Amino acid sequence: NDYCDCEMNINDCLGECGGLAETDECGMCDGPGIPDGECDCDGNIEDCSGECGGIAVEDDCGVCGGDGTSCLFATLYFGALSDNNLEVWLDSPLDVAGFQFEVSGITITGASGGSASDAGFTVSFSTTTVIGFSLTGTTIPASDGVLLNLTFDGVTGDEICLSAAVISDNLGNSITTEYGTC
């Protein structure tokens, strides 16, 4: 019943008996289909997250859908050093919800004061590591100032250095961190 001749050919979408024209994925007979670079028949393209026709774009930091803050960085560095006391300073363009860092070259015996104390952070330490965060959700405002003061027993190396820092914003995202000189 569907054949257009005795050789059992059928009409293609143009009505040609035995023709090769087919309907493309856009519903056009003998159409070109979805053009290269497009993701649907409406001419949309994929955004950076892979959503067809989506609106997400990369920010200046190269983060898809980012707000530009991921390329901002904090600097952790030393301030005054005297009588087994050492200031640790933090220069951050973003509010800080938590931090952890290591100090080599000294044996830490205490950690207190500074903006961590002002923000009500819980601060804990070992002989080499300091961690601070808020149990109530407060943050240390974006600023450049004394994060906390360390007390220590003697120098254990040639240099006193900061390393292995993890500083996070109020969403738990890591803030890229640089270090001052040892």
Side-chain angles (χ1 to χ4, degrees), residues 2-64:
D2 294 330
Y3 300 114
C4 59
D5 62 18
C6 292
E7 295 178 19
M8 301 178 87
N9 288 314
I10 58 172
N11 288 332
D12 66 10
C13 61
L14 292 174
E16 184 178 325
C17 183
L20 299 176
E22 294 180 350
T23 303
D24 69 9
E25 61 265 8
C26 296
M28 292 182 62
C29 179
D30 207 24
I34 298 174
D36 284 345
E38 296 177 7
C39 58
D40 65 14
C41 298
D42 295 328
N44 289 311
I45 60 171
E46 285 186 359
D47 67 6
C48 61
S49 68
E51 182 179 335
C52 185
I55 60 170
V57 295
E58 286 188 1
D59 65 9
D60 292 337
C61 307
V63 175
C64 181

Side-chain angles (χ1 to χ4, degrees), residues 1 13-14 26 35 66 70 72 80 86 101 107 111 114 116 122 125 136 160 169 174:
N1 292 344
C13 61
L14 292 174
C26 296
S70 64
L72 299 176
L86 178 60
F101 58 87
T107 301
T122 298
F125 64 92
T136 62
I160 301 171
D169 66 15
S174 180

Side-chain angles (χ1 to χ4, degrees), residues 4-179:
C4 59
D5 62 18
C6 292
E7 295 178 19
M8 301 178 87
N9 288 314
I10 58 172
N11 288 332
D12 66 10
C13 61
L14 292 174
E16 184 178 325
C17 183
L20 299 176
E22 294 180 350
T23 303
D24 69 9
E25 61 265 8
C26 296
M28 292 182 62
C29 179
D30 207 24
I34 298 174
D36 284 345
E38 296 177 7
C39 58
D40 65 14
C41 298
D42 295 328
N44 289 311
I45 60 171
E46 285 186 359
D47 67 6
C48 61
S49 68
E51 182 179 335
C52 185
I55 60 170
V57 295
E58 286 188 1
D59 65 9
D60 292 337
C61 307
V63 175
C64 181
D67 61 4
T69 59
S70 64
C71 55
L72 299 176
F73 60 91
T75 303
L76 197 61
Y77 61 100
F78 293 125
L81 167 66
S82 63
D83 300 327
N84 290 355
N85 290 298
L86 178 60
E87 292 177 337
V88 176
W89 283 59
L90 175 64
D91 181 3
S92 178
L94 303 169
D95 292 351
V96 172
F99 61 84
Q100 179 175 329
F101 58 87
E102 292 183 12
V103 182
S104 60
I106 61 172
T107 301
I108 300 170
T109 58
S112 62
S115 58
S117 177
D118 295 344
F121 273 35
T122 298
V123 176
S124 297
F125 64 92
S126 71
T127 57
T128 59
T129 304
V130 179
I131 184 170
F133 55 91
S134 170
L135 293 171
T136 62
T138 61
T139 59
I140 298 170
S143 63
D144 183 11
V146 176
L147 175 62
L148 49 76
N149 297 292
L150 298 178
T151 56
F152 61 93
D153 266 343
V155 176
T156 60
D158 292 336
E159 293 184 312
I160 301 171
C161 298
L162 292 161
S163 65
V166 177
I167 299 175
S168 61
D169 66 15
N170 61 341
L171 298 175
N173 298 315
S174 180
I175 301 171
T176 303
T177 306
E178 296 183 340
Y179 305 101

